[in-house]
Amino acid sequence: MNDLTTGNRLLSRLMSAASTRDRVLAENIANQNVPGYERRVVSFEDTLRQRVLAGQGHADVEPTIQIDKTSPAGPDGNNVTLELETSAMRENRIAYELYATMLQTRLSMNQAAITESR
């Protein structure tokens, strides 16, 4: 597989992970008042980074949803904090937009190269 295809697939996978994270964050917000609900987090980028640095590639890395055991729970057992979730949503949105812009730029460059070579 060439570098162009690999880079495009990686950006697509990053966008997909960001979409999953957005859904999980929305679920956390929806359940912020449910007693005993435990906040969920999506793990992807750190796993991806470790695999790539180890030379193992990224083809089989998938986002995983885990329960956040580090955030303190309130008296009702719920550990969702609206401020944390909305901040995470903003950060995730910026990351998604960055990945989308990078992918769009790569595709535009590919299109320009094809058009110019005719």
Side-chain angles (χ1 to χ4, degrees), residues 1 28 87 109:
M1 192 175 314
N28 287 344
S87 177
M109 289 171 57

Side-chain angles (χ1 to χ4, degrees), residues 18 50 58 100:
Q50 291 169 358
H58 62 81

Side-chain angles (χ1 to χ4, degrees), residues 90-118:
R90 281 191 295 271
E91 182 179 320
N92 189 56
R93 175 68 180 190
I94 290 168
Y96 182 89
E97 289 176 0
L98 173 65
Y99 303 146
T101 300
M102 290 172 67
L103 182 58
Q104 182 179 19
T105 300
R106 289 177 62 91
L107 294 174
S108 295
M109 289 171 57
N110 293 347
Q111 182 65 36
I114 292 168
T115 304
E116 289 177 16
S117 66
R118 290 184 181 175

